[in-house]
Amino acid sequence: MKAFHRVIDIQADLIAGSLTCVELVNHYLTQIQEKAHLNAFLEVWADEALDKARLVDAKIASGSYGKLAGVVIALKDNLSYKGHKVSASSKILEGFEALYTATAVERLEQEDAIFIGRTNCDEFAMGASNENSAFGPVKNPFDESRVPGGSSGGSAVAVAAGMCHCALGSDTGGSIRQPAAFNGVYGLKPTYGRISRWGLLAYASSFDQIGPFAHSLEDIALLTQIMSGADSQDATAIQEGPLDTWTYTEKKNRRFAVMKQAVEHPGLDPEVRDTFNQLLDKLRALGHEINYIDFPLLEQMVPAYYVLTTAEASSNLSRYSGMMYGYRSPNATDLESTYTRSRTEGFGPEVKRRIMLGTFVLSSDQYDAYYEQALKVRRIIQNETDAILDHNEALLMPTTSTPAFKLGEKSKDPISMYLADLFTVQANLAGNPAISIPSGTTQSGLPIGVQLMTSRKSENDLYDLSELIQKLF
Ligand code: GLN
């Protein structure tokens, strides 16, 4: 099977008759089987995917088919798809079946996408290594002793290792961009509200966004365009129609901002720094402007992110009480012990840590010192980000400070794990769109990603700037 990088190339072959959707699905099913040890999928919907493939083949033969005909997609295990299991990789939801379909998933389905299965992730999307899954870690296909990143690790690996064409993830603080960088694929976190969150299992509602993983910018733009647009089920979705279809517009003399604190950060891996600096040189040589800016707030971002997201998580996850749905402890004797036993036995350690931290920062004694303070920091970060993007067209930085780290390397030390989000949380704190673009590999063959962020609601400009950058790799 050819390695397809773009939906349009798949569709050209489908229309020419040299390929069928059934062949494509069978190919991916074989790949999933051969690479099962990577643990990227929690469930594979083989029969259903083949049924849909036959249906789409018939539609192609009849000449009337959707924009995603022939596109085989994997869904992160925190997206609801009616009648299918969804567990957020948590024991507390093991066996639970979605009662409705997420708006984003439904919009893809209407365009004839074929869903092949649900992918492993960190429990409730809390993590940066996929080691917090109740169903075991995912392995990085470039080096199986390393993490795939998280929390959408399974989705990134499924795309990188050729087990599906595209995948969906969710990004609260970097969970699409960081695993995309660790696996050499594109990953986008759209503007907050660009894609409805209806049907996404909530972690931190004012941060969460659904987004795609793909092998090309074109496919990132296509999937996002289809999923975008207002939705009566999500009041935080941007009240606008879908994004315009993207076509590349070349512009000269573009202005990129680079944070001094990021390029000079002591934790930045030398190979990541060199790759990044070489990119800056190439951009300058092409006549683009690189403006170094001072951003002392960099060190405040991760703490503000963790205060606010754990606060929201403590509220969002209170619904898993053992009463309405999900796991109920068989060891409970009364109402009170049903709550405590079910939650104690159902949640993993990282989720419990965050619920406790979030409950603490919201408690009446601590609220002013932590939650309110973090809200103020968030506002300052938003204002400063806007100011940078008033004078520059994009903010450019490495997606992560290091390539994929070893399994087990950070899992005993939450603080060092949290610092894996150093460069990615800003886009979620401020609500801006940000993308990770593959930017080569280290000497030892580990992928490196570069991140580009533009102002809110400017995805199509983000793709134009990304096109310019991807050409340099
Ligand atoms: N690694 C970050 C965290 O653990 C980001 C997670 C995410 O984006 N869902 O919170």
Side-chain angles (χ1 to χ4, degrees):
M1 181 72 63
K2 263 197 239 172
F4 291 103
H5 286 120
R6 300 182 310 173
V7 168
I8 54 165
D9 301 325
I10 298 177
Q11 291 180 344
D13 284 11
L14 290 171
I15 293 158
S18 55
L19 177 70
T20 66
C21 295
V22 170
E23 282 166 5
L24 267 175
V25 169
N26 277 324
H27 164 75
Y28 290 127
L29 290 173
T30 310
Q31 293 300 306
I32 292 173
Q33 223 166 32
E34 280 174 9
K35 292 166 186 165
H37 64 286
L38 297 176
N39 204 21
F41 280 85
L42 294 180
E43 191 181 6
V44 183
W45 303 317
D47 293 340
E48 216 182 309
L50 282 167
D51 285 346
K52 179 85 188 256
R54 279 185 280 271
L55 191 89
V56 182
D57 278 333
K59 282 181 138 188
I60 291 170
S62 77
S64 149
Y65 50 87
K67 288 184 201 163
L68 296 176
V71 185
V72 178
I73 299 178
L75 302 176
K76 183 177 180 179
D77 184 37
N78 62 356
L79 289 155
S80 308
Y81 183 26
K82 191 175 175 175
H84 298 75
K85 286 186 188 136
V86 59
S87 76
S89 289
S90 180
K91 190 180 162 196
I92 212 156
L93 276 176
E94 202 174 354
F96 175 75
E97 266 185 24
L99 300 169
Y100 52 86
T101 298
T103 303
V105 174
E106 192 174 277
R107 289 182 180 169
L108 298 179
E109 191 173 39
Q110 280 163 358
E111 292 293 345
D112 288 338
I114 300 167
F115 300 121
I116 196 154
R118 61 187 167 100
T119 53
N120 202 345
C121 58
D122 283 301
E123 185 176 1
F124 284 100
M126 297 176 183
S129 67
N130 222 121
E131 293 166 295
N132 297 334
S133 166
F135 307 107
V138 177
K139 291 177 182 164
N140 189 308
F142 291 85
D143 174 350
E144 294 178 12
S145 69
R146 291 178 188 269
V147 304
S151 65
S152 318
S155 287
V157 169
V159 175
M163 298 186 257
C164 57
H165 184 67
C166 296
L168 293 193
S170 65
D171 189 312
T172 305
S175 279
I176 294 175
R177 291 160 287 152
Q178 185 250 23
F182 282 6
N183 290 281
V185 294
Y186 294 80
L188 172 76
K189 183 203 82 81
T191 305
Y192 181 74
R194 179 61 83 193
I195 296 173
S196 164
R197 290 181 294 107
W198 173 251
L200 169 68
L201 274 55
Y203 158 18
S205 310
S206 78
F207 292 74
D208 298 341
Q209 260 300 284
I210 297 169
F213 290 92
H215 287 289
S216 68
L217 267 177
E218 286 93 331
D219 290 0
I220 290 279
L222 177 68
L223 262 68
T224 306
Q225 195 271 330
I226 293 168
M227 292 187 283
S228 67
D231 178 13
S232 58
Q233 303 283 20
D234 177 3
T236 64
I238 299 171
Q239 296 300 309
E240 288 176 13
L243 269 162
D244 293 334
T245 305
W246 174 61
T247 41
Y248 177 53
T249 320
E250 193 174 329
K251 291 189 196 151
K252 302 226 176 302
N253 311 323
R254 309 223 58 169
R255 295 186 310 279
F256 295 93
V258 172
M259 268 182 210
K260 273 188 229 150
Q261 282 76 2
V263 276
E264 288 165 9
H265 200 276
L268 196 60
D269 175 271
E271 282 186 275
V272 173
R273 186 189 300 117
D274 290 349
T275 310
F276 187 71
N277 283 330
Q278 283 160 16
L279 168 66
L280 299 184
D281 289 341
K282 288 184 205 163
L283 286 169
R284 275 193 213 93
L286 289 171
H288 304 292
E289 216 176 278
I290 306 290
N291 298 316
Y292 286 94
I293 50 154
D294 206 26
F295 201 87
L297 274 170
L298 181 66
E299 299 297 335
Q300 267 66 59
M301 292 204 264
V302 170
Y305 168 83
Y306 276 95
V307 170
L308 296 172
T309 55
T310 55
E312 293 188 23
S314 70
S315 165
N316 274 328
L317 273 63
S318 63
R319 71 191 68 172
Y320 305 105
S321 60
M323 298 308 294
M324 260 113 63
Y325 40 65
Y327 176 77
R328 179 179 298 170
S329 171
N331 308 317
T333 49
D334 56 8
L335 183 64
E336 185 83 18
S337 67
T338 303
Y339 292 155
T340 33
R341 298 265 19 120
S342 302
R343 288 168 69 82
T344 304
E345 293 160 24
F347 286 133
E350 181 61 26
V351 174
K352 285 181 198 158
R353 180 181 294 123
R354 294 195 192 196
I355 291 173
M356 286 191 279
L357 181 58
T359 307
F360 175 77
V361 301
L362 286 176
S363 62
S364 55
D365 283 354
Q366 309 299 332
Y367 187 92
D368 296 352
Y370 292 99
Y371 185 69
E372 193 155 290
Q373 194 70 8
L375 280 180
K376 289 179 188 160
V377 174
R378 183 179 200 181
R379 173 48 59 92
I380 296 170
I381 289 167
Q382 283 167 343
N383 292 347
E384 302 259 311
T385 305
D386 286 349
I388 297 170
L389 294 171
D390 280 345
H391 298 100
N392 298 276
E393 291 162 287
L395 185 59
L396 186 60
M397 60 185 119
T399 308
T400 54
S401 50
T402 66
F405 44 89
K406 293 266 186 195
L407 284 154
E409 188 180 321
K410 297 186 199 280
S411 49
K412 297 280 170 299
D413 178 3
I415 303 287
S416 82
M417 187 71 90
Y418 295 173
L419 287 172
D421 307 320
L422 185 63
F423 299 143
T424 47
V425 294
Q426 182 182 6
N428 306 75
L429 283 159
N432 296 49
I435 191 168
S436 181
I437 303 165
S439 58
T441 58
T442 61
Q443 294 278 330
S444 59
L446 296 174
I448 299 176
V450 60
Q451 178 182 226
L452 204 52
M453 186 195 309
T454 54
S455 44
R456 285 185 289 282
K457 304 210 283 185
S458 66
E459 278 84 352
N460 283 347
D461 197 42
L462 177 65
Y463 307 146
D464 282 344
L465 291 154
S466 305
E467 173 79 44
L468 201 147
I469 290 184
Q470 76 167 5
K471 280 193 187 136
L472 303 174
F473 290 104

